[in-house]
Amino acid sequence: MARAAKLLALLIAALCTAATMANAAVVEHTFNVGGMSISQLCMNSVIYTVNQQMPGPTIEVNEGDTLVVHVVNGSPYPVSVHWHGIFQLRSGWADGANMITQCPIQPSAKFTYAFNITGQEGTLWWHAHASMLRATIYGALIIKPRNGPRGYPFPKPYAEIPILLGEWWNKNVDDVEKDGLLTGLGPAMSDAFTINGFTGEQPSCRGAGAYQVEVESGKTYLLRIINAAVDSELFFKVAGHAFTVVAADASYTNPYPTDVIVIAPGQTVDALMTASAAPGRYLMAAHAFESKTAANPPPFDNTTATAVVRYKGVPDYAPAAMPALPAHTDVVTAGRFYWSMTGLVRRGDPVVPRNVDHSMVVAFGLDQVPCAPEQTKCQGFAVVASMNRYSFRFPDKVSLLEAFFRGVPNVYSEDFPGAPPPVPAPRKVTSVRKVNFNDVVEVVLQSQEYSSALGTENHPIHLHGFNFFVLAQGLGRFDASMKSKYNLVNPQVRNTIAVPAGGWAVIRFTADNPGMWFMHCHFDMHLPLGLAMVFEVLDGPAPNLLPPPPAGFPKCH
């Protein structure tokens, strides 16, 4: 232990030296994961959070800073923390993807994540990446320009307000996930949505409380909106107010005016809002966007979370106006929002690479299979998910990154197909797609219906370790003629893309970061079902090498 502590100290010292050389800072936090008593929806519950907060602590850094977070696991569950959207340049061990880049932090154990944040600005977030614990273990990660608000490519806002949209279950979320696996149908729907941890004043449960923010007339505010919901896309509006979207997934956009935000799990949206309405109280509200196309879609959480925007000087008891949210199934409004934004191109920004080394089609969706023996509550069939008919199986003895680094045999194969194979049923495998350092990868993400009973839905596909250009998206089947629609000039840049139900999206990225990088659906219910794959990126020339794991790296057993 003494040697591990010494090595960790040396690592942090090295990062600190690098930060100092770059005229940056070292930002340090301690995350104590443990139980917290809470009253929500007329019920008293014990949930697991960071530092007795839901949402957890907001982390603020400047571009170029080094972030050091000491995670102490006082919960009864294994935990890892993913820094969603952070590139982790040559620090893949800190990505926090459970059994992909690390074994989880066991109960009563601790681990320090330390990494530099380079070349990124905007709103990201952090969350648990082990089971459904991310329903309550999450928080904002805000990266400011190195020269402060003067570096924004839009007028400096009067104030900035993180808005974290979440999802709430009255039951222990670990039990919810286990029940979903036993039935073979995935977890039960949530009981409510939340805004900054509060459901708002629910009609059936007065006194639950609501988040409230005070604004001043004429001032402009930057709302940093994060969808931390586990399994739901969301519509978000503020009564009497409109937005100008200026960034998505910590990448600047050309200003996009809208009165509604549509946001999938894992995504972030930065939107300017001017307090230009008559002084009063106005509700911000969020409810589900339900995109399922099945003949008999399952029920969904149709509740609405609310919070209060109160103008300075207006009393708390004044009536509050409610926004008119789109219908839950309004695919037109959702599609218009998702497809209309373009990226803001500034001098020095990465440009779309023209030459492609790997051109892939990844078809994915849900299917029905016979119940497994261990699925003791399963009746008739279970649901399985796959990408190119490979249903991802997590390793259980060593993480993929450690197996990759140490050359551990028989942990994974390198045969993930570049196109859907003509096989009738999905295979449960641990397979990766190997690419060389600096290869350009283009992926057609095709939403596929394998079972008419299950239909299709929007799937938020998240890629760890990289941003990607969204070249095009559409409905139906992708074919070669769609290439004429590619935006190679100012496409959106994202880390999570909502692939439309029964439709497609084309993404392109440069694999300039060695390691094992997860690509998966950010509906947590689909992750244990297998809707995932991994890119294995080989080392490049020095210094583009994956370093050894840090001191105190978690062990699986």
Side-chain angles (χ1 to χ4, degrees):
M1 289 297 294
R3 180 175 182 273
K6 183 177 180 180
L7 288 172
L8 177 60
L10 289 172
L11 170 64
I12 295 175
L15 289 168
C16 292
T17 300
T20 302
M21 291 174 63
N23 193 28
V26 175
V27 178
E28 194 164 2
H29 288 261
T30 297
F31 279 10
N32 289 299
V33 180
M36 166 186 162
S37 297
I38 188 172
S39 180
Q40 195 90 279
L41 298 183
C42 300
M43 292 183 61
N44 295 321
S45 305
V46 174
I47 61 175
Y48 291 90
T49 62
V50 167
N51 296 356
Q52 298 281 299
Q53 300 175 45
M54 192 190 78
T58 293
I59 293 176
E60 289 196 12
V61 297
N62 293 325
E63 189 276 328
D65 286 352
T66 291
L67 180 59
V68 177
V69 181
H70 310 283
V71 177
V72 182
N73 186 8
S75 82
Y77 306 106
V79 168
S80 65
V81 179
H82 171 50
W83 314 95
H84 186 111
I86 295 293
F87 295 154
Q88 300 293 356
L89 295 171
R90 295 184 296 280
S91 57
W93 303 102
D95 187 51
N98 186 39
M99 298 310 299
I100 306 300
T101 57
Q102 71 167 89
C103 300
I105 307 166
Q106 297 299 321
S108 302
K110 58 186 177 180
F111 175 60
T112 295
Y113 294 92
F115 51 90
N116 185 258
I117 299 174
T118 301
Q120 297 186 264
E121 297 174 8
T123 304
L124 295 174
W125 63 302
W126 57 265
H127 60 82
H129 211 291
S131 77
M132 276 180 61
L133 290 174
R134 85 165 175 87
T136 55
I137 298 177
Y138 63 89
L141 201 174
I142 297 169
I143 309 168
K144 302 287 187 69
R146 192 178 299 195
N147 58 346
R150 295 188 305 276
Y152 291 147
F154 47 81
K156 177 184 175 183
Y158 177 72
E160 302 181 8
I161 306 169
I163 301 293
L164 289 94
L165 308 176
E167 202 164 5
W168 174 264
W169 279 261
N170 284 331
K171 290 180 63 176
N172 178 292
V173 291
D174 189 67
D175 292 339
V176 170
E177 182 175 45
K178 287 176 180 175
D179 285 345
L181 294 174
L182 291 176
T183 63
L185 301 178
M189 71 179 186
S190 52
D191 294 292
F193 297 109
T194 60
I195 298 177
N196 286 357
F198 295 92
T199 60
E201 294 288 356
Q202 300 295 327
S204 62
C205 184
R206 295 293 176 183
Y211 172 74
Q212 180 169 277
V213 61
E214 182 182 86
V215 299
E216 294 187 32
S217 291
K219 304 293 188 182
T220 297
Y221 297 82
L222 179 64
L223 304 186
R224 296 183 177 271
I225 306 164
I226 299 166
N227 187 349
V230 177
D231 290 316
S232 296
E233 291 180 88
L234 296 168
F235 289 117
F236 174 82
K237 292 188 74 171
V238 177
H241 296 75
F243 311 109
T244 300
V245 174
V246 292
D249 290 1
S251 293
Y252 295 118
T253 65
N254 288 307
Y256 173 63
T258 179
D259 68 344
V260 60
I261 303 295
V262 192
I263 186 166
Q267 292 184 331
T268 72
V269 171
D270 288 358
L272 296 172
M273 184 188 80
T274 300
S276 56
R281 293 174 76 240
Y282 299 85
L283 292 181
M284 57 176 67
H287 77 192
F289 164 47
E290 181 54 45
S291 62
K292 289 186 176 68
T293 62
N296 295 296
F300 63 91
D301 184 344
N302 63 3
T303 63
T304 300
T306 57
V308 178
V309 175
R310 181 177 60 84
Y311 278 64
K312 188 174 182 179
V314 174
D316 286 339
Y317 54 80
M322 179 71 181
L325 288 162
H328 292 290
T329 56
D330 189 345
V331 296
V332 174
T333 294
R336 183 186 303 118
F337 181 89
Y338 283 141
W339 299 10
S340 295
M341 281 185 288
T342 53
L344 178 66
V345 180
R346 301 186 296 172
R347 181 181 298 177
D349 286 346
V351 298
V352 182
R354 294 303 198 265
N355 297 318
V356 175
D357 299 293
H358 297 265
S359 186
M360 303 173 61
V361 176
V362 176
F364 56 86
L366 307 180
D367 204 349
Q368 296 174 316
V369 294
C371 300
E374 65 272 16
Q375 292 175 311
T376 54
K377 296 183 180 180
C378 184
Q379 297 182 357
F381 70 90
V383 178
V384 67
S386 64
M387 285 186 162
N388 282 353
R389 305 307 273 163
Y390 279 33
S391 184
F392 186 79
R393 180 177 60 200
F394 285 85
D396 59 1
K397 294 182 173 59
V398 62
S399 72
L400 290 185
L401 189 60
E402 191 160 2
F404 167 64
F405 183 79
R406 302 195 188 285
V408 181
N410 304 318
V411 176
Y412 63 91
S413 62
E414 296 174 330
D415 61 350
F416 184 85
V423 295
R427 295 196 297 135
K428 199 74 175 174
V429 291
T430 308
S431 178
V432 306
R433 179 76 174 187
K434 182 170 70 172
V435 301
N436 291 318
F437 177 81
N438 242 16
D439 278 355
V440 174
V441 182
E442 180 176 295
V443 185
V444 176
L445 295 165
Q446 177 71 61
S447 177
Q448 174 76 50
E449 181 181 283
Y450 292 115
S451 166
S452 59
L454 299 175
T456 60
E457 61 187 306
N458 283 23
H459 289 270
I461 303 299
H462 171 49
L463 176 62
H464 290 222
F466 305 96
N467 281 343
F468 50 74
F469 295 101
V470 182
L471 302 186
Q473 47 195 319
L475 300 176
R477 292 280 188 172
F478 176 87
D479 63 54
S481 67
M482 309 296 186
K483 293 184 178 182
S484 64
K485 300 181 179 180
Y486 283 9
N487 179 357
L488 300 174
V489 178
N490 61 349
Q492 292 182 51
V493 178
R494 282 195 174 268
N495 61 58
T496 305
I497 173 74
V499 181
W504 53 271
V506 182
I507 65 172
R508 188 180 292 181
F509 68 96
T510 301
D512 56 0
N513 193 11
M516 286 286 195
W517 303 110
F518 211 19
M519 187 172 79
H520 63 93
C521 182
H522 220 274
F523 288 146
D524 266 29
M525 67 168 63
H526 294 167
L527 198 49
L529 299 179
L531 216 163
M533 59 85 65
V534 174
F535 285 102
E536 175 190 59
V537 181
L538 303 183
D539 280 341
N544 299 298
L545 307 170
L546 178 68
F553 199 64
K555 303 294 184 184
C556 281
H557 301 288

